[in-house]
Amino acid sequence: HGADSVTSRGTYLKDAFKIWNLSFSNKLIGTGGEGFNNTYQMVQSEKYISTEVHNSFVQILVESGLIGFFSIITAIVLYILKYKNNTYKISLIVLVLHSIIDLDFSYMIILAVFAILLGANEKKGEQEEITSNFAYIETHVQIVLSMLLLIVSAVITFRFNLAYRIDTEKKD
């Protein structure tokens, strides 16, 4: 109906936050994989068809809640603070900035590039000198963050499979 991309994305964002605010569970652990796609019609403020929010971070917030959102943000911030300026860091920053206006993290290939960017510096040994106390704390933060990401991934996968089974049963 003549809407432009910016207006449409604003509508998706508004509706995504409505979904996120539906329950305490949604706020904490999210709706699960495909959560926006499966629930946007319940809160739609205008007529549209979209399977994505078109903002990777809001999509993560809706589908994995505060736990998943802060896990991703913490990983990004730790990476940016830890390493010197180089092409890996700049590439990650560009990817993060573009993800604010698009659905980059919805594509498995982009997630693979993201993981490669996070791990590439460690492999090359371009890590800055870190004091032993900070390294000790950082190691424990990385362990906790890894466990949180594992739990969030398991919850999203479980909820996606459950939503898929429910949808399949409705069609039968």
Side-chain angles (χ1 to χ4, degrees):
H1 58 23
D4 62 50
S5 180
V6 174
T7 303
S8 297
R9 289 168 195 248
T11 302
Y12 306 153
L13 285 171
K14 183 171 53 173
D15 289 349
F17 283 111
K18 286 181 187 176
I19 293 167
W20 185 69
N21 280 310
L22 285 175
S23 71
F24 179 74
S25 173
N26 285 5
K27 289 180 182 178
L28 189 61
I29 61 172
T31 59
E34 293 293 314
F36 180 80
N37 184 31
N38 292 330
T39 57
Y40 78 89
Q41 293 173 336
M42 293 179 354
V43 298
Q44 229 174 352
S45 55
E46 295 179 28
K47 188 166 179 67
Y48 62 84
I49 298 171
S50 179
T51 59
E52 306 283 345
V53 180
H54 289 272
N55 178 315
S56 291
F57 297 103
V58 175
Q59 187 91 22
I60 290 168
L61 180 66
V62 168
E63 294 182 356
S64 64
L66 288 170
I67 293 172
F69 178 78
F70 284 119
S71 297
I72 295 294
I73 296 301
T74 302
I76 292 168
V77 169
L78 283 176
Y79 180 88
I80 290 172
L81 293 176
K82 183 177 180 180
Y83 293 102
K84 298 176 187 175
N85 288 334
N86 59 40
T87 55
Y88 297 115
K89 184 175 182 176
I90 292 167
S91 300
L92 177 67
I93 291 170
V94 169
L95 176 62
V96 166
L97 291 175
H98 187 261
S99 296
I100 293 170
I101 60 166
D102 213 344
L103 45 114
D104 297 333
F105 292 137
S106 293
Y107 300 110
M108 191 52 84
I109 188 70
I110 299 296
L111 289 174
V113 169
F114 180 71
I116 290 167
L117 287 172
L118 290 177
N121 255 351
E122 199 69 41
K123 183 76 175 162
K124 290 190 105 184
E126 296 175 3
Q127 185 176 2
E128 292 181 15
E129 291 293 323
I130 300 174
T131 64
S132 62
N133 287 340
F134 184 71
Y136 176 79
I137 292 169
E138 182 184 30
T139 300
H140 284 80
V141 168
Q142 287 176 343
I143 291 169
V144 169
L145 183 60
S146 297
M147 294 303 293
L148 282 173
L149 287 173
L150 179 65
I151 292 168
V152 167
S153 298
V155 168
I156 289 172
T157 302
F158 173 75
R159 292 184 79 172
F160 174 75
N161 287 331
L162 181 62
Y164 177 76
R165 277 190 259 128
I166 291 171
D167 188 50
T168 304
E169 288 174 7
K170 285 181 185 177
K171 290 179 182 177
D172 291 339

